[in-house]
């Protein structure tokens, strides 16, 4: 039976709303075996701190059966901002994320999901595990990606049976693991780095508070300090408890122990890390309006702890918790997440389909699209393509027809990797509507006595156009498509 890491006893000592109390259930893998404390020591980097870890990320957007609902407009813009949030918060620890796309699950049944059976949760809604299973085996075309972190976006989580019947949970995650889920209005927020940190087995800063096993309020090095083995096991996060918003001064983002709450030994809490992503939710963890990091933070000790967990399983042959299958290479970060062929400016052929449209074939070019969240420099590119891009940009190299270079400041500012551009002579063909035309008519070749007739969109598509031309005349018929391609036909009508 799966164990939910949540402090139900928090009701006994924390004065705050139920929505605050139930904001993050974490499902600990039932087969998880705690490694030796020496391996998880947040003061010791295992292995080298310069080693880089890269994970694929796949998004699953749940919508109603007909595609409607609060997630109806969710698409690439939202998930690309989510990738940016992940990279800008975890790159400092040499943890990187490669965007692998998104899909849509049209299922009204899974718009509202239970992450855990909290008191007063609407038990008629399916569980997160049921949604996971549906994405793996319940669909005609399963969307779950075993080679990526899987992030699900739904309408909401753990709806209350008590008025106003609101969702009580922002997000939830498997710990350790590769699966997480978010209420639609919490994906692009502090909840995202919080839940992914749970995937990497990072605890809440208030872990075990209110129990005899609490982390004591004592500075590191103090005889009473037990931070390495109790609470969140992180020595550079102060002892904490689950608090409400009134304990965080939003103006200064400092902790204020207004009610004198104390640890399990009676020592009042001080300097609770309210800006830390793993502390109780409060405004001091918020992102900027552009989704770049704000005052929310992880500590260096938390970074070491997450890296130590990742290092244990990143290359494990048994794919424990999905980590080794979900990994990617550092080189993958330099490659576009998507390449799209499109037509260039050279028209190779225009074929009239005789239905008001034409097949227009042009020289083929390739659009190279790069994910958000990095500071890029592009070398050896066409002057009309960008040479640099910032964290919030979604850069596209469109006009370069030869191999170009990519440098990513967050990965290594001194390294440039090549992106090969496949230069071939294939054509890119697409169907286009005729939108206008011109008929030039004369009864004597070489005569300057010409009749010109402009054609509007209706006339140029008229299937009887040729029948309506004057007999005993030569005609040059120019039919122009929406992109400006011209199909010219020369005829003599008896």
């Amino acid at each position: 039976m799966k164990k939910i890491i949540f402090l139900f006893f928090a009701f006994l000592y924390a004065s705050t709303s139920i929505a605050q109390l139930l904001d993050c259930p974490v499902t600990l893998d039932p087969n998880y075996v705690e490694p030796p404390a020496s391996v998880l020591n947040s003061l010791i980097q295992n292995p080298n701190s310069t080693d880089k870890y890269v994970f694929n990320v796949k998004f699953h957007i749940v919508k109603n059966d007909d595609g409607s609902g609060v997630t109806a407009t969710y698409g690439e813009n939202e998930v690309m901002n989510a990738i940016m949030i992940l990279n800008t918060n975890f790159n400092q620890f040499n943890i990187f994320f490669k965007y692998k796309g998104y899909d849509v699950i049209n299922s009204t049944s899974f718009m509202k999901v239970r992450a855990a059976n909290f008191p007063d949760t609407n038990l008629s809604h399916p569980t997160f595990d049921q949604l996971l299973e549906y994405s793996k085996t319940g669909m005609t075309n399963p969307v779950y990606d075993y080679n990526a972190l899987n992030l699900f976006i739904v309408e909401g989580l753990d709806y209350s049976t008590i008025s106003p019947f609101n969702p009580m949970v922002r997000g939830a995650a498997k710990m350790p693991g590769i699966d997480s889920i978010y209420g639609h209005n919490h994906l692009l927020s502090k909840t995202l780095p919080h839940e992914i940190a749970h995937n990497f087995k990072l605890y809440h800063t208030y872990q075990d508070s209110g129990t005899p096993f609490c982390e004591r309020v004592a500075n590191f090095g103090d005889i009473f300090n037990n931070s390495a083995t109790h609470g969140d096991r992180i020595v550079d996060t102060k002892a904490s408890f689950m608090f409400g918003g009134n304990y965080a001064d939003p103006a200064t983002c400092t902790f204020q122990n207004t009610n004198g709450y104390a640890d399990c030994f009676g020592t009042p809490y001080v300097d609770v890390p309210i800006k830390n992503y793993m502390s109780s939710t409060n405004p001091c963890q918020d992102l900027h309006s552009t989704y770049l990091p704000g005052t929310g933070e992880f500590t260096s000790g938390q970074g070491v702890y997450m890296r130590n967990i990742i290092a244990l399983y990143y290359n494990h042959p048994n794919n424990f918790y999905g980590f080794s299958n979900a990994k990617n290479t550092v080189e993958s970060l330099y490659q576009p997440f998507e390449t799209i062929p499109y037509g260039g400016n050279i028209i190779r052929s225009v074929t009239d389909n005789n239905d008001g449209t034409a097949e227009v074939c042009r020289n083929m070019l390739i659009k190279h699209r790069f994910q958000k969240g990095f500071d890029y420099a592009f070398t050896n590119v066409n002057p009309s393509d960008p040479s640099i891009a910032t964290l919030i940009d979604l850069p596209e190299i469109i006009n370069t027809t030869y191999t170009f270079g990519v440098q990513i400041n967050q990965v290594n500012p001194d390294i440039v990797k090549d992106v090969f551009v496949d230069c071939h002579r294939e054509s890119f063909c697409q169907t286009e509507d005729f939108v206008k035309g011109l008929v030039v008519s004369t009864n004597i070749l070489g005569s300057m006595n010409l009749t010109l007739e402009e054609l509007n969109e209706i006339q140029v598509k008229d299937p009887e156009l040729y029948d309506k031309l004057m007999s005993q005349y030569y005609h040059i018929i120019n039919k122009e498509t929406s992109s400006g391609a011209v199909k010219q036909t020369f005829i003599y009508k008896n």
Side-chain angles (χ1 to χ4, degrees), residues 281-337:
T281 301
N282 68 86
C284 293
Q285 302 158 328
D286 286 348
L287 306 173
H288 282 302
S289 59
T290 57
Y291 305 117
L292 291 176
T295 50
E297 63 185 12
F298 291 115
T299 67
S300 60
Q302 287 174 316
V304 170
Y305 188 93
M306 288 188 287
R307 285 180 54 81
N308 288 348
I309 284 290
I310 293 170
L312 284 175
Y313 309 116
Y314 194 70
N315 293 307
H316 202 287
N318 292 334
N319 189 37
F320 283 127
Y321 318 114
F323 279 18
S324 60
N325 279 3
K327 70 181 180 181
N328 207 328
T329 63
V330 173
E331 287 70 23
S332 71
L333 300 174
Y334 292 87
Q335 298 302 311
F337 72 86

Side-chain angles (χ1 to χ4, degrees), residues 425-452:
R425 298 185 180 277
E426 294 181 25
S427 295
F428 180 86
C429 301
Q430 60 184 6
T431 300
E432 300 180 9
D433 284 331
F434 285 120
V435 295
K436 63 182 178 179
L438 177 67
V439 178
V440 181
S441 305
T442 181
N443 61 345
I444 301 175
L445 286 177
S447 172
M448 298 303 294
N449 185 16
L450 304 175
T451 300
L452 305 180

Side-chain angles (χ1 to χ4, degrees), residues 348 364-366 368 399-403 419-426:
R348 291 178 173 168
M364 182 182 290
L365 298 177
I366 304 295
H368 298 79
N399 299 305
T400 301
T401 58
Y402 37 80
T403 298
V419 173
F420 174 72
V421 178
D422 186 9
C423 295
H424 47 67
R425 298 185 180 277
E426 294 181 25

Side-chain angles (χ1 to χ4, degrees), residues 3-8 21-28 114-118 128 157-158 168-175 181 194-195 198 204 206:
K3 175 184 176 184
I4 302 296
I5 303 300
F6 179 78
L7 306 181
F8 286 100
L21 282 175
L22 305 183
D23 64 356
C24 179
V26 181
T27 305
L28 185 65
R114 282 184 289 140
N117 292 328
F118 289 134
F128 182 25
L157 298 168
D158 287 84
M168 299 182 291
V169 172
R170 295 174 175 86
K174 302 294 184 180
M175 189 173 85
I181 187 169
H194 178 108
E195 299 304 338
H198 280 321
H204 294 129
Y206 52 80

